[in-house]
Amino acid sequence: MALEVLTFVKASWLKPLWKQLGRMTGERKKELDRLRDEFVDPELLRDLYIEPYFQDRNPADAHQDDLISAAQQPAFERINGFFRGDLPLEKDGRHQMFILSDAGMGKTSLLLMIKLMHLTSFWPRGYNCALFKLGADTLNRVQALPNKGETVLLLDALDEDPKAWKRIRERLLELLQASEDFRRVVISSRTQFFPEMEPDRLGRPEIKVLAGYHCPVLYLSPFTDEQVKEFIERKLPLRWYHFSFQYGRVKKEREKASCLLGHMQDLRMRPMLLQHIDKLLSAECKQEWNAYTVYEALLDEWLDREVRKLRKWGGRRMPGRKELFLACLRIAEWMQRQGTRIISEEALKKLIGEDANIAWLEKFELGGRSLLNRNSDRAFRFSHYTIQEFLLAWGVVHEQLVGEEPLRATDQLTRFVDLADGILCHVDHLDFCDIDPQGYVERYNASWPIQDQLKNGKPGPKMMLLPGGRFRMGDIQGKGGKDERPVHEVKLNSFAIGRYPVTFEEYDAFCLATGRNKANDEGWGGGQRPVVNVSWEDAQEYCQWLTQVRRICAQNTKKSPFWGLAPLSNICNYSSQIFGFLM
């Protein structure tokens, strides 16, 4: 007798799945309600969900030389192959997978679809599936599950787990050890929050901080142009029963959506933002679309809608968009400082006692496609974590935060602030201890300000960390000399460069410390003016001295990444090539 081929997930199950959901009763209905409270209402995915692709390499890597390893594979096909395998003989992490992607790429939706396929009885008999949002009670919930050997465990949002903040290695070990008896385990996380990967001695990718574990790691691919087009067609459907004027209106909306998506660059590849394309279509036209302006338009449109609904109720005093925005900001700040994604009714009432403006949130029409929802316990939460992060970024940029302590900065929150106003203006309002500056500049092709502290306690030169890249060096136009050929590609690693030319004051400190003559200012005056009359040899010795006297202050990293970052030590040896010398 041939062995039964197990199938756990399948794209063709998506359509019949929705019919099954409406027929649920008893314990299955209770579990569906829990998923709706803890994650998102599955009805939001109806008719819109598109199976994503996986790839083995990080899509953010701009230089994927190995095209084979970056090849895409349908997510359900890859997941099914992973679930189908036998129980592991060794507990070395091979049955515990990590799924990584940017914010809004569909990690939670993917895990939810897997769980729904189990809940609607499409799975093979005898196998169970458990889906939890990672948090303080995760280990207890995992430990209480029965029949672990026949159970697939899905754990969502490692990056939102307060137990992982500032102790990612310890948290990963806790989760891997607690889940080692399960048939299969899948843990999702934002890519930028996840530890660095490196190849082991056999060339297999390995999580750097977890030597000895060989957990498979997959990345969700950004939507392709074909998937974006399919999503827009589903979001703005043309029905057979549409009259001619309706047909023309929908077709025009599709054309407008395609034009808008062209301005959004890589943001158009994110399913979470595509889901709100109708809101963006009704927003004011913006010349420069980026992550900050897109979220700003979403929030403005949503709050305007809430204002209109509140005015229908009547009353002597109705709030405006700004008042509702500030109420949402206050909630977002409270959540961020408490390390949670929800605020209970009790906590909300306490905040209302401090700020009566927040009481308007209780009158919101929540649920559905709203950006703010309530669960069955009447606790508020934002429909997506990035909404909370945008509100915080807006509060930082506009100096509207209530608390005085710096906020814990995530990669996405930092990016919002950077796009809006630049990081340098707001270093005192954010705690960057979880941010990897080198990874940030390479990921977003951005810059990052840094400044070492010298051994004498004084600040070193102000620098800007810039992303590396590739360029063609040589006689590209064919008009140069022999020494400019052959044209060849050069790869430049990330590097830091001085923000300003070296000043007389900075150079004089070097002269005093080394007993050499100061540079002649030719009667122009020294101080903060750029130093002149410095030879090439002098510049080299100045940089060598600066490298020796700088001090990597790890204890100061908690306050700000602009002071002595140990991870940057390999690129912070100073060279005259990174300063502006007038010779």
Side-chain angles (χ1 to χ4, degrees):
M1 181 182 292
L3 293 175
E4 179 187 3
V5 178
L6 300 177
T7 302
F8 293 86
V9 289
K10 199 173 182 179
S12 61
W13 292 347
L14 289 175
K15 285 188 177 180
L17 178 147
W18 302 112
K19 295 181 180 179
Q20 295 288 344
L21 285 181
R23 303 170 184 167
M24 286 187 178
T25 59
E27 293 300 318
R28 288 179 179 271
K29 179 64 165 57
K30 290 181 180 178
E31 177 66 2
L32 181 61
D33 290 339
R34 182 191 70 83
L35 295 175
R36 185 178 289 111
D37 283 347
E38 193 168 339
F39 295 92
V40 67
D41 188 348
E43 285 297 320
L44 294 176
L45 304 178
R46 181 190 288 268
D47 299 328
L48 292 178
Y49 187 79
I50 295 176
E51 180 186 7
Y53 289 103
F54 276 140
Q55 60 188 66
D56 295 312
R57 296 283 295 274
N58 185 355
D61 184 358
H63 310 300
Q64 298 188 45
D65 298 318
D66 189 353
L67 297 179
I68 296 177
S69 67
Q72 298 178 340
Q73 183 178 7
F76 291 159
E77 180 182 321
R78 189 70 177 265
I79 286 287
N80 197 59
F82 176 64
F83 287 174
R84 189 183 289 169
D86 297 328
L87 287 171
L89 298 177
E90 298 182 25
K91 297 176 180 178
D92 61 356
R94 298 179 197 274
H95 67 302
Q96 297 162 301
M97 174 189 287
F98 290 95
I99 293 178
L100 309 180
S101 79
D102 280 356
M105 294 295 293
K107 300 180 293 297
T108 299
S109 296
L110 175 61
L111 297 189
L112 185 60
M113 294 306 301
I114 295 172
K115 173 60 183 175
L116 291 178
M117 290 182 186
H118 164 258
L119 201 59
T120 48
S121 302
F122 285 99
W123 274 36
R125 291 184 180 276
Y127 293 95
N128 299 318
C129 178
L131 170 59
F132 300 137
K133 180 78 72 175
L134 280 163
D137 62 344
T138 299
L139 297 183
N140 291 333
R141 298 173 78 179
V142 168
Q143 187 177 8
L145 289 173
N147 304 321
K148 294 179 174 61
E150 290 78 39
T151 299
V152 171
L153 178 63
L154 309 176
L155 301 175
D156 185 43
L158 177 67
D159 51 287
E160 298 174 27
D161 181 5
K163 292 290 185 180
W165 298 347
K166 303 181 184 179
R167 55 185 300 272
I168 181 67
R169 179 180 182 277
E170 293 79 3
R171 186 56 167 171
L172 284 174
L173 287 173
E174 291 171 357
L175 294 173
L176 292 176
Q177 291 167 5
S179 63
E180 61 186 10
D181 292 329
F182 286 81
R183 177 182 178 82
R184 290 293 184 273
V185 181
V186 178
I187 303 175
S188 73
S189 174
R190 290 191 192 178
T191 306
Q192 54 269 30
F193 184 82
F194 201 69
E196 185 179 351
M197 303 290 293
E198 66 178 3
D200 63 11
R201 283 183 286 183
L202 298 178
R204 299 171 299 190
E206 185 176 70
I207 304 171
K208 192 171 183 179
V209 298
L210 298 178
Y213 280 91
H214 302 290
C215 305
V217 177
L218 293 177
Y219 297 87
L220 273 179
S221 303
F223 266 13
T224 63
D225 290 332
E226 291 75 18
Q227 287 175 311
V228 172
K229 182 180 179 182
E230 181 182 355
F231 192 98
I232 295 303
E233 290 174 351
R234 294 189 183 191
K235 187 70 175 178
L236 304 171
L238 288 170
R239 307 294 189 187
W240 66 267
Y241 51 79
H242 279 162
F243 294 107
S244 59
F245 74 90
Q246 292 176 311
Y247 185 92
R249 177 180 57 80
V250 175
K251 193 172 181 180
K252 190 173 182 179
E253 285 183 346
R254 285 186 177 184
E255 293 173 354
K256 187 177 178 182
S258 298
C259 181
L260 184 146
L261 292 173
H263 292 289
M264 289 171 60
Q265 301 175 2
D266 62 327
L267 287 176
R268 72 185 188 278
M269 307 301 186
R270 300 191 181 194
M272 183 264 179
L273 292 179
L274 287 174
Q275 190 174 10
H276 297 283
I277 188 67
D278 52 337
K279 294 188 180 71
L280 295 176
L281 289 175
S282 62
E284 295 180 6
C285 179
K286 295 180 182 292
Q287 295 297 321
E288 295 293 335
W289 285 103
N290 58 41
Y292 187 90
T293 56
V294 165
Y295 276 78
E296 188 175 36
L298 281 177
L299 266 291
D300 286 350
E301 196 281 336
W302 174 63
L303 291 175
D304 282 341
R305 186 183 64 182
E306 295 299 330
V307 169
R308 291 192 295 271
K309 291 177 181 177
L310 289 173
R311 284 176 179 169
K312 289 181 180 179
W313 287 23
R316 294 183 178 179
R317 179 182 174 274
M318 288 290 109
R321 178 205 295 172
K322 184 176 181 181
E323 289 174 289
L324 297 184
F325 195 105
L326 293 176
C328 292
L329 171 59
R330 188 76 200 284
I331 297 297
E333 183 179 355
W334 185 92
M335 290 179 181
Q336 190 80 351
R337 296 192 185 280
Q338 297 297 319
T340 181
R341 282 202 63 192
I342 64 173
I343 179 170
S344 66
E345 271 198 311
E346 293 75 16
L348 181 65
K349 289 178 181 178
K350 184 177 180 181
L351 280 182
I352 291 174
E354 300 172 3
D355 183 354
N357 186 52
I358 299 174
W360 289 114
L361 299 185
E362 294 186 305
K363 300 182 182 295
F364 275 17
E365 180 180 328
L366 304 175
R369 292 167 54 238
S370 174
L371 299 180
L372 190 65
N373 297 315
R374 264 182 166 176
N375 63 19
S376 59
D377 295 325
R378 304 293 292 167
F380 280 89
R381 69 175 183 186
F382 292 99
S383 59
H384 199 275
Y385 190 41
T386 51
I387 303 298
Q388 179 176 327
E389 291 171 302
F390 168 78
L391 285 165
L392 294 169
W394 188 94
V396 168
V397 170
H398 295 274
E399 299 182 354
Q400 293 291 327
L401 298 180
V402 176
E404 296 182 358
E405 287 295 315
L407 282 174
R408 170 184 169 270
T410 63
D411 188 271
Q412 185 64 62
L413 195 162
T414 303
R415 185 57 179 160
F416 280 138
V417 172
D418 197 4
L419 290 170
D421 207 20
I423 303 171
L424 200 58
C425 303
H426 307 288
V427 296
D428 294 331
H429 301 106
L430 296 171
D431 177 359
F432 295 95
C433 62
D434 290 336
I435 301 295
D436 171 20
Q438 189 167 352
Y440 180 89
V441 301
E442 292 174 356
R443 177 178 185 78
Y444 294 112
N445 196 32
S447 60
W448 187 277
I450 60 175
Q451 189 174 28
D452 277 334
Q453 187 173 1
L454 306 183
K455 290 182 178 179
N456 60 8
K458 294 184 178 180
K462 294 180 179 179
M463 314 282 287
M464 293 298 291
L465 181 62
L466 301 178
R470 301 187 181 199
F471 68 97
R472 296 177 68 204
M473 175 181 283
D475 182 20
I476 299 175
Q477 297 179 344
K479 300 179 181 180
K482 293 182 179 180
D483 59 344
E484 298 180 63
R485 294 190 291 269
V487 176
H488 57 285
E489 186 177 75
V490 174
K491 179 180 179 181
L492 189 64
N493 294 327
S494 298
F495 64 96
I497 188 170
R499 294 184 66 202
Y500 311 105
V502 177
T503 65
F504 273 99
E505 182 177 319
E506 291 170 333
Y507 190 77
D508 287 350
F510 156 68
C511 295
L512 290 173
T514 57
R516 65 178 60 218
N517 294 329
K518 296 181 180 180
N520 185 355
D521 63 11
E522 302 288 352
W524 298 345
Q528 294 298 315
R529 292 181 173 83
V531 67
V532 295
N533 291 323
V534 176
S535 68
W536 183 89
E537 290 80 6
D538 290 335
Q540 296 300 314
E541 291 184 18
Y542 170 77
C543 292
Q544 291 176 9
W545 170 80
L546 199 57
T547 299
Q548 293 170 358
V549 300
R550 73 190 180 111
R551 181 175 64 185
I552 303 299
C553 299
Q555 68 271 20
N556 289 333
T557 304
K558 184 175 181 180
K559 179 180 178 182
S560 170
F562 307 98
W563 288 97
L565 282 172
L568 296 178
S569 59
N570 62 326
I571 61 170
C572 279
N573 289 329
Y574 295 103
S575 164
S576 63
Q577 297 177 4
I578 63 174
F579 288 106
F581 279 99
L582 303 179
M583 300 181 185

